[in-house]
Every structure is written in C-alpha cells, then in structure tokens.
Amino acid sequence: MALNIVIMAAGKGTRMKSATPKVLHKLAGRSLLAHVLKSGEPLAAATRIVITGHGAEQVEAAVQAEGISFVRQMPQLGTGHAIQQVVPALVGEGTTLILNGDVPLIETPTAKALIEACAGHALVLLTVDLFDPTGYGRIIRNKDDGGVLAIVEHKDATPEQRLIHEGYSGMMAAPTTALKCWVGQLNNNNAQGEYYLTDIVAMAVAEGLPVLGIKAGSETEVLGVNDPVQLAQLERAFQAQQAEDLMRAGVRLADPARFDLRGTLTHGQDVDIDVNCVFEGDVTLGDNVRIGANCVIRNARIASGVRIHEFTHIDGEKQGASVGEGALIGPFARLRPGAQLGAEVHIGNFVEIKNSTLADGAKANHLAYLGDATVGARVNFGAGSITANYDGANKHRTTIGDDVHVGSNCVLVAPVTLGNGATIGGGSTITKDVNPGDLAVARGKQVALTGWTRPTKKR
Ligand code: UD1
Ligand code: MG
C-alpha cells in the first residue's frame, strides 16, 4: 500500500515577527522543517510532499533533496485548503500521513503507529492531553464508548467543549481515497473563515468509517513553534533529552543544562565535558577526552586522551579538523578547516592553525599563526611567529622539517622550506629556504652607541 507523506508548511508564522519563514527557524542547528523531514525519512513513502506558500522559494531551496516534492498553496486559506492543493499529487489507495512543518520533534515510531493503525482504511488522529489546551482543536468523544466524533477548533468551541483537555496535535493518517473525497466537501463557515482539515473527522464518522485517536507519548513530541518563546522552550527540551542520552551512554557532563549539541556527537569511553560547550555538525571524541569550559567545536575528530582547555574554538567547516592522540589544545586556541594535528601536539593560547599539518610532538604554545604549512615532528614554533602565507593575491605553502626550532617573532614568507633540524633566530624574516641543520638569522644587527644622549624638548 502506497504511503504519501504530506508536510504542511505554507503558513506565515506571524508571531515569530521575523523575515525568515517560520519553518526555517532553527532548533539544534537544523530547521524545524528539516527535523520533520528527518523523522519521516525512515518511513518507506511513495511521495514526500511539502506544502509551501509563505516564503515558498526560500523554503523549497532550503530543504530540496531527491524524493521531496513541493506543492504551492497560494493564498493560504486554512489547513483543509492546503490539503486540497495536494490532492492531484497523492498516489495510490493506501495511507496519507499529514505532519506539521512547525511541530519538529515528532518521532518516527509515533508516525509509524499512526500509519499502521490507519492501514488504508481508518482515520487516525494524533492527540495529546494538555494542561492548557488553549488554541488547540478539541477532540469530541462519544460519552458512551469514548469513540471520536469530531474535532472542534478552539475559536468555534462552546464553553463546555473548551473544558476538554484532549487536543488535536495537527497530525493524522488518513485513507488516501477517502481523504481526497472529504477535502473536496469542506466549507469555510466557521469562526476563522478558513477551510479546516479537522472537519473531515465528522465526515468520516458520518460515513461510518473507523476514527481512532492515538495519544502521543510525550507533550514535547507534539509541541508546535509559534513564537520565539516556544522555540527556545523546545530547544531546551530537545537539548535536555540529548544530554540525558549522552550521559546514559557514559559521557560525563558537568551540567546538562549548560550543554548544546547541534548535530551529532560520537564518543568513546570516559569523556568529560565541562560547562557551556557547544558541539556542531559532526564531532567525534575518542576515549578519555577532556574538554574544558566554554569550548565551541564544529566538524572535528578528536582522538583519545586529548585535553582541550577552556575557551578553545575548533571549526573544521566542510574540510574538517583533526587532533591526534594525547594532544593538548588551548586555552584560547583556534583550529580552523584543514588543521590536522598529530599525536602529542601542543597548541597554546592565541594560536591559530589553518589548513596545516603538524606531525607528532610539534608545539606552538603562544601567539602564533600557522596557515598552509606542513610542520615536521617535534618542531618548536616560537611565540609570536607566523607563516606569511598570502601575498595579497595567492596563498603559498610553508614546509618545516622535523626538529626545526623557530624562535620568537619570526615571519616565514611563503613559499619557503626549512630543512630538518634548522634553527631560526628570533625576530627573523625568512624569505629564502634554509638548509638542514643551518642557523638562519635575518634581522638587523644590534649596534651600541656608547654615551648616547637623548634628544631634549625644544623651548
Ligand atoms: C491546527 C489544527 C488544530 C490543532 C493545531 C495543533 C486545523 C483547522 N486546526 O490549528 O486542531 O490543535 O493545529 O497545532 O487544522 N498551514 C498551511 N496552510 C494554511 C494554514 C496552515 O500550510 O493555509 C500549515 C501551517 O504552516 C502549519 C500547519 O498548517 O504548519 C498548522 O497551521 P496553523 O495555522 O498553525 O493551525 P492551528 O490554528 O494551530
Ligand atoms: Mg499552529
């Protein structure tokens, strides 16, 4: 039986008070709509249709991928009107699953349960018991057998109906053929003058079709985002869940309330993470990794035994960054895309590394820049020294052999090569290659003027 997945995402999201369409606002680094699509991903569907309207071009560009199609709803006259637009795109006689683009944390097993209960012939609603159901459509049940009779929208509900705490989550699974027929019969004679999708419930009941209400496992799963307050609340709920999952898997978080993961974190055993760290994209931490407070780490692989001190920023962007076993990084270090550090490398405060390879045991402990460089084993790169890798038009490489000692305040003007074991005197500006084992000094000679008298101020 063919499955259609339809995600309604045409609404304006007025209460966000933002130029960005609501469904593109981010939760844990990914758009609300992307979360919904991800939950639907494991389901074998014949179609995945996103209904767009407000900011359609932006929304479509943001989530376009193979297997996803878009149907535009212009203007937006309600959820029933939205589904009317997709009728021609629905395939088969099986089930159509309807999800909301602004309810990001719906879980795959819940969606699966709706589809299975529908089985192409029952109308299945995802409902939720809410402490405060204001704004939600209410589930009206038969007093005798508890069967679902209808959904009444909050604005259309009587005072008695508003006392009902069971609300409609906005998600359902419906028999495709019947759904097409029902949405054709909707009208907008209601408090909001909209075509309500929820009116199909009474139609199904009138036809004698089974209508089931399945209750969501948690409230978080069905919470929608309507304003920045709800977005932040859902973000915290999601982060708390991720933190708990990691702690149950053995990761030690100093404070789960001060931890943010916007992507995936793969980890070994005995990982310690201090407060206020943010992980983005794909991050891998090996065994016994310890991360100090206030670090931001994005798209990076950190090997076993690495110690990352406080306030370190690592961003591998698309290229990635990697840190070898037992390395010491920070505090206040910055690793950029293409930083590849070997085992036992030490990177200290205010050192920036970009697109550079450092072999085992190399050290740059203070105030340095290594860009487009290949650095050998056990090199000591002095305080305040830099590679001048950019001539204003092009980037050039610096190659530093094993056991090279670069003194403080040196400028290595690329392209340049320092042979194994070379020594560079402090304050040198190196523009020519240095042979292995040589000492290169390229700075003004010190002169002493004995008895020098300082100038005095003229009257
Ligand atoms: C809807 C339900 C309500 C339910 C609530 C749960 C209806 C009539 N009501 O109300 O029973 O309790 O969700 O959150 O369905 N959308 C479109 N096109 C439109 C209008 C909306 O695509 O013309 C999309 C929105 O972008 C959103 C979703 O449909 O993703 C829900 O729309 P919204 O206006 O938020 O419906 P509610 O009034 O919250
Ligand atoms: Mg809503």
Side-chain angles (χ1 to χ4, degrees):
M1 257 192 320
L3 170 68
N4 297 284
I5 299 179
V6 176
I7 302 173
M8 296 191 290
K12 189 159 180 230
T14 315
R15 283 172 285 169
M16 288 301 293
K17 299 190 173 140
S18 164
T20 303
K22 178 163 78 174
V23 294
L24 293 188
H25 280 275
K26 292 203 164 139
L27 183 121
R30 177 186 282 145
S31 74
L32 300 178
L33 182 54
H35 277 276
V36 182
L37 284 163
K38 189 165 178 267
S39 299
E41 223 169 59
L43 307 169
T47 66
R48 292 168 206 277
I49 307 165
V50 179
I51 304 175
T52 58
H54 182 76
E57 275 166 29
Q58 221 181 323
V59 174
E60 291 167 13
V63 297
Q64 61 162 332
E66 214 185 295
I68 296 175
S69 57
F70 301 96
V71 168
R72 289 208 185 165
Q73 181 201 15
M74 302 279 195
Q76 295 96 43
L77 305 178
T79 52
H81 178 254
I83 300 303
Q84 284 173 356
Q85 315 310 305
V86 291
V87 162
L90 299 177
V91 303
E93 295 178 350
T95 300
T96 297
L97 174 72
I98 300 175
L99 303 174
N100 265 349
D102 62 354
V103 182
L105 301 184
I106 175 72
E107 288 177 21
T108 309
T110 305
K112 231 179 215 161
L114 292 179
I115 295 160
E116 277 163 18
C118 169
H121 75 276
L123 177 59
V124 185
L125 312 169
L126 183 64
T127 76
V128 58
D129 287 326
L130 295 151
F131 178 72
D132 176 13
T134 307
Y136 280 76
R138 304 300 205 283
I139 307 293
I140 311 296
R141 288 181 182 268
N142 187 326
K143 287 199 173 58
D144 307 327
D145 61 3
V148 176
L149 293 177
I151 297 177
V152 177
E153 290 305 307
H154 181 87
K155 286 189 178 150
D156 298 276
T158 63
E160 294 76 48
Q161 288 170 330
R162 288 191 183 178
L163 297 175
I164 297 171
H165 282 261
E166 188 181 5
Y168 170 53
S169 70
M171 294 172 275
M172 63 165 75
T176 304
T177 312
L179 177 70
K180 288 181 176 176
C181 171
W182 294 329
V183 294
Q185 299 169 36
L186 292 172
N187 63 59
N188 62 354
N189 305 326
N190 53 52
Q192 302 185 79
E194 286 185 6
Y195 293 88
Y196 291 163
L197 177 61
T198 43
D199 285 350
I200 71 168
V201 175
M203 293 180 191
V205 172
E207 284 176 23
L209 234 89
V211 180
L212 309 170
I214 290 189
K215 283 195 182 165
S218 76
E219 202 176 299
T220 318
E221 215 187 332
V222 298
L223 284 181
V225 171
N226 294 300
D227 59 30
V229 175
Q230 290 174 335
L231 180 61
Q233 286 167 343
L234 218 51
E235 174 82 29
R236 283 338 302 162
F238 186 69
Q239 293 299 346
Q241 188 55 56
Q242 292 192 128
E244 183 175 334
D245 292 346
L246 285 165
M247 290 186 293
R248 299 226 182 270
V251 176
R252 292 188 291 271
L253 301 178
D255 181 359
R258 286 179 288 169
F259 166 82
D260 288 84
L261 170 57
R262 302 169 189 156
T264 53
L265 182 63
T266 311
H267 60 87
Q269 219 176 19
D270 286 303
V271 167
D272 267 299
I273 300 173
D274 209 335
V275 299
N276 291 331
C277 291
V278 179
F279 297 87
E280 297 192 343
D282 287 315
V283 176
T284 303
L285 306 177
D287 293 341
N288 301 304
V289 167
R290 287 164 64 202
I291 300 179
N294 303 301
C295 292
V296 176
I297 303 181
R298 184 183 297 127
N299 293 333
R301 299 181 67 84
I302 313 294
S304 299
V306 170
R307 176 87 173 95
I308 296 178
H309 293 284
E310 293 74 6
F311 295 97
T312 291
H313 185 253
I314 301 178
D315 186 358
E317 293 179 20
K318 289 195 178 113
Q319 231 182 317
S322 64
V323 179
E325 274 186 35
L328 301 179
I329 312 295
F332 300 102
R334 179 172 186 212
L335 306 185
R336 293 177 53 204
Q340 290 180 284
L341 314 187
E344 311 289 334
V345 162
H346 293 185
I347 301 298
N349 45 204
F350 309 107
V351 174
E352 173 183 346
I353 312 278
K354 187 219 74 173
N355 194 30
S356 294
T357 306
L358 275 70
D360 296 356
K363 294 185 174 80
N365 272 325
H366 329 267
L367 304 157
Y369 173 61
L370 281 160
D372 304 304
T374 303
V375 179
R378 299 170 301 277
V379 164
N380 189 73
F381 200 76
S385 291
I386 67 152
T387 53
N389 57 327
Y390 184 53
D391 60 13
N394 297 298
K395 302 271 173 73
H396 302 281
R397 281 202 85 77
T398 300
T399 304
I400 303 175
D402 293 341
D403 301 297
V404 167
H405 183 97
V406 178
S408 297
N409 262 351
C410 294
V411 179
L412 309 180
V413 182
V416 72
T417 297
L418 314 183
N420 291 343
T423 302
I424 311 299
S428 293
T429 295
I430 300 295
T431 55
K432 287 186 273 203
D433 290 354
V434 178
N435 288 327
D438 281 6
L439 165 67
V441 183
R443 62 182 184 225
K445 270 208 163 71
Q446 185 167 333
V447 291
L449 303 184
T450 310
W452 170 252
T453 45
R454 287 188 202 158
T456 53
K457 223 180 181 99
K458 284 182 184 132
R459 293 257 159 167

